[in-house]
Amino acid sequence: EVQLVESGGGLVESGGSLRLSCATSGFHFDDYAIGWFRQVPGREREGLACITQDTSTYYADSVKGRFTISRDSRTNTVHLEMKNLKPEDTAVYYCAADKWLKLLHAIVAVTGEYDYRGPGTQVTVSS
């Protein structure tokens, strides 16, 4: 059974940092790209970042320079380091897995799809 489980969310003050983790199982980790998304109720999802099997990365302009994505093949885990958080970063953050080009399309286009995703973790940034 494919599973992606996010952790590390919480409440942080504006300007603070958080490190999210996405623990994966049930598929061959090294064959998939992994991406991070966020969603606020009532709004469309936003693609944030993704990382290929060979650790190439892509970042949305909204998080470039503040967020860093990384992956660890020893633990089949992907991390999202978030710095200088702002109240507008408040959302449910979730990770997703798919082949690179399909996942990249999902990151840049809200109509894109992915095969697998986790339930998400809440991030709240207070002003």
Side-chain angles (χ1 to χ4, degrees), residues 24-70:
T24 73
S25 61
F27 63 96
H28 195 227
F29 183 76
D30 290 341
D31 286 345
Y32 282 80
I34 308 291
W36 284 95
F37 299 77
R38 66 187 178 191
Q39 188 155 25
V40 175
R43 296 173 60 179
E44 293 181 332
R45 76 166 189 236
E46 180 182 7
L48 304 176
C50 51
I51 187 166
T52 68
Q53 299 91 312
D54 64 359
T55 70
S56 296
T57 58
Y58 172 86
Y59 294 95
D61 288 343
S62 59
V63 302
K64 196 175 296 181
R66 297 191 300 127
F67 291 11
T68 302
I69 190 171
S70 61

Side-chain angles (χ1 to χ4, degrees), residues 82-99:
M82 306 187 296
K83 299 181 179 180
N84 191 23
L85 285 163
K86 308 172 184 179
E88 52 263 42
D89 292 317
T90 295
V92 173
Y93 285 68
Y94 64 91
C95 56
D98 211 317
K99 300 302 182 180

Side-chain angles (χ1 to χ4, degrees), residues 71-84:
R71 64 189 291 154
D72 185 344
S73 293
R74 298 169 301 172
T75 59
N76 293 349
T77 302
V78 172
H79 301 288
L80 187 68
E81 298 274 1
M82 306 187 296
K83 299 181 179 180
N84 191 23

Side-chain angles (χ1 to χ4, degrees), residues 102-125:
K102 186 178 176 187
L103 189 63
L104 181 61
H105 180 244
I107 289 285
V108 300
V110 70
T111 55
E113 299 177 340
Y114 36 75
D115 280 352
Y116 310 115
R117 63 158 288 180
T121 185
Q122 176 70 43
V123 171
T124 303
V125 185

